[in-house]
Amino acid sequence: AHLVAVLLAEQCARAGIRLGWRRCDPVPPQALDVGLMEAALLNMVKNAIEAVLARQARGTPGGHVEITLERLGDDTVLAVLDSGDLLGELPPRQLFTPFFSTKQGGQGIGLMFVREVLTRHGLAYSLASTGPGETRFEIRFPQAQ
């Protein structure tokens, strides 16, 4: 997650978007395909940045994207939060539909890829509006057995 934040830091700085990375608690190692998970996380963060950019284009300056990693109960939770607020009244599950996109010229395959990676790893995930102006994409890693 830190690598993704570093890769996208300059793009965010140019657009006036505050990009943050916060690791709250020590977390146990996870058995993952690192390359696939990095690609999925990169897609999630790029989508969050694009949502903030779309909100800026509608006249709301600034914005934020934050990546967090923390323990919640027995689970490790990786989350991407943004102030793009593009979900609105749209059911989040519709965003994972092949070839559906809210973006002008979007192909609708990015979140489909993310869903496939998370499903292959047996991970629970959610995408929801968490209040006025904020969206949260959350991945739950269960405690290792």
Side-chain angles (χ1 to χ4, degrees):
H2 179 63
L3 175 62
V4 170
V6 169
L7 290 173
L8 298 172
E10 187 174 326
Q11 175 188 0
C12 288
R14 281 194 314 265
I17 299 171
R18 186 174 27 88
L19 177 63
W21 156 244
R22 183 170 43 102
R23 180 174 175 169
C24 302
D25 305 304
V27 296
Q30 301 289 322
L32 304 169
D33 181 316
V34 174
L36 282 177
M37 288 302 295
E38 283 178 346
L41 180 60
L42 181 61
N43 186 288
M44 292 164 52
V45 175
K46 286 176 71 176
N47 281 347
I49 292 168
E50 289 171 1
V52 174
L53 290 171
R55 188 168 180 167
Q56 287 178 348
R58 295 188 314 266
T60 304
H64 70 272
V65 174
E66 184 175 18
I67 307 165
T68 64
L69 181 65
E70 60 192 328
R71 293 293 302 257
L72 292 177
D74 289 336
D75 294 342
T76 299
V77 177
L78 176 65
V80 176
L81 298 93
D82 71 71
S83 62
D85 195 30
L86 280 186
L87 289 184
E89 300 299 316
L90 188 66
R93 70 181 173 277
Q94 188 174 4
L95 295 172
F96 295 94
T97 303
F99 311 113
F100 174 82
S101 180
T102 59
K103 299 177 212 164
Q104 180 94 13
Q107 297 176 1
I109 58 175
L111 285 178
M112 195 173 75
F113 167 75
V114 171
R115 180 189 68 195
E116 181 64 24
V117 169
L118 299 178
T119 301
R120 283 187 180 192
H121 283 85
L123 300 173
Y125 61 91
S126 63
L127 174 61
S129 178
T130 57
E134 188 165 84
T135 302
R136 179 180 175 99
F137 194 132
E138 182 176 283
I139 303 170
R140 288 192 170 261
F141 300 86
Q143 182 178 3
Q145 302 293 329

